[in-house]
């Protein structure tokens, strides 16, 4: 299905939803809402159009004899909860121990964004980022920590403003070396 066909199909569906929840879906403020929502939803889920995450790295991978922790902290992410189609947002912290190769730091942020722009649960998002870094770089270890606020918990359900969720995924030496794991968590959460 083309982007235009997706936009049209989504917009028709949104019109139906608006008919169900608003007494006047044809009023000025809502006239173009179906098309705006369709475009926004396609942007929010654009991570599906990137079939191979390794293409994000491109030629930004270099041979380097660095063997200590590399950490990119506080990568902002926004995603949609697959259970409610309501946003969650937060920070991703990605670390790796190189195994003869390093990557352009912005590529780690791009990987986090790619997976966040899909319908998600935070647990899967965390694992997908870690697995992508592990598969692309083949490092000695990868650690990913995600801290997020889920609007499905804030706006509905238990309605707990200020609650956040923390998930992490450890691969390689981060899983087997407690001191390295502790160093990562301390650096990522300070």
């Amino acid at each position: 299905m083309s982007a235009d066909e997706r936009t049209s199909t989504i917009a028709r569906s949104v019109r139906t939803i608006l008919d169900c929840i608003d007494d006047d879906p044809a009023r000025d403020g809502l006239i173009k809402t179906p098309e705006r929502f369709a475009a926004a939803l396609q942007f929010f889920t654009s991570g599906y159009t990137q079939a191979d995450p390794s293409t994000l790295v491109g030629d930004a991978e270099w041979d380097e004899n660095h063997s200590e922790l590399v950490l990119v902290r506080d990568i902002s992410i926004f995603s949609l909860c697959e259970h409610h189609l309501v946003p969650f947002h937060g920070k991703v912290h990605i670390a790796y121990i190189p195994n003869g190769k390093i990557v352009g730091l912005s590529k780690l942020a791009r990987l986090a964004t790619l997976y966040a722009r899909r319908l998600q649960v935070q647990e899967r998002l965390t694992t997908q980022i870690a697995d992508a870094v592990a598969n692309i770089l083949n490092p000695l270890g990868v650690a990913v920590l995600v801290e997020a606020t889920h609007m499905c918990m804030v706006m509905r359900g238990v309605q707990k403003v200020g609650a956040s969720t923390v998930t992490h995924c450890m691969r390689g030496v981060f899983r087997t070396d407690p001191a390295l794991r502790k160093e990562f968590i301390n650096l990522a959460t300070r």
Side-chain angles (χ1 to χ4, degrees):
M1 183 181 292
S2 73
D4 288 342
E5 291 170 325
R6 282 193 301 273
T7 299
S8 178
T9 301
I10 294 168
R12 278 194 308 274
S13 299
V14 171
R15 277 188 199 85
T16 300
I17 292 168
L18 291 175
D19 283 338
C20 293
I21 61 174
D22 192 278
D23 62 346
D24 185 10
R27 64 184 167 86
D28 283 346
L30 293 177
I31 285 285
K32 294 188 180 186
T33 296
E35 289 77 17
R36 287 192 297 263
F37 180 85
L41 186 61
Q42 288 183 84
F43 176 78
F44 298 153
T45 59
S46 62
Y48 290 115
T49 62
Q50 183 74 43
D52 182 4
S54 65
T55 61
L56 285 178
V57 173
D59 61 357
E61 189 177 3
W62 303 279
D63 292 333
E64 189 65 43
N65 192 26
H66 182 80
S67 60
E68 299 295 324
L69 183 140
V70 176
L71 169 65
V72 178
R73 289 187 335 185
D74 297 329
I75 302 166
S76 295
I77 56 107
F78 302 88
S79 193
L80 291 175
C81 164
E82 70 179 32
H83 300 140
H84 305 101
L85 298 182
V86 175
F88 67 92
H89 62 93
K91 303 280 186 190
V92 175
H93 315 285
I94 304 171
Y96 71 100
I97 305 292
N99 188 15
K101 292 213 176 281
I102 61 170
V103 67
L105 300 176
S106 69
K107 304 308 180 183
L108 298 175
R110 289 180 190 275
L111 281 171
T113 299
L114 175 133
Y115 288 109
R117 287 192 181 148
R118 297 180 178 185
L119 300 179
Q120 279 292 7
V121 295
Q122 184 174 329
E123 297 86 346
R124 182 185 321 117
L125 172 64
T126 307
T127 301
Q128 286 177 327
I129 295 167
D131 288 345
V133 174
N135 291 335
I136 292 166
L137 289 179
N138 194 30
L140 298 175
V142 176
V144 176
L145 188 140
V146 179
E147 304 170 272
T149 298
H150 293 253
M151 298 312 287
C152 56
M153 277 186 61
V154 172
M155 296 172 62
R156 59 167 304 281
V158 296
Q159 299 178 17
K160 296 301 176 194
V161 175
S164 65
T165 301
V166 176
T167 53
H168 65 71
C169 182
M170 308 291 172
R171 298 284 186 255
V173 294
F174 286 100
R175 183 173 281 219
T176 60
D177 183 339
L180 188 57
R181 177 190 290 242
K182 183 177 180 181
E183 178 184 6
F184 163 69
I185 291 172
N186 286 340
L187 288 170
T189 58
R190 64 179 185 155

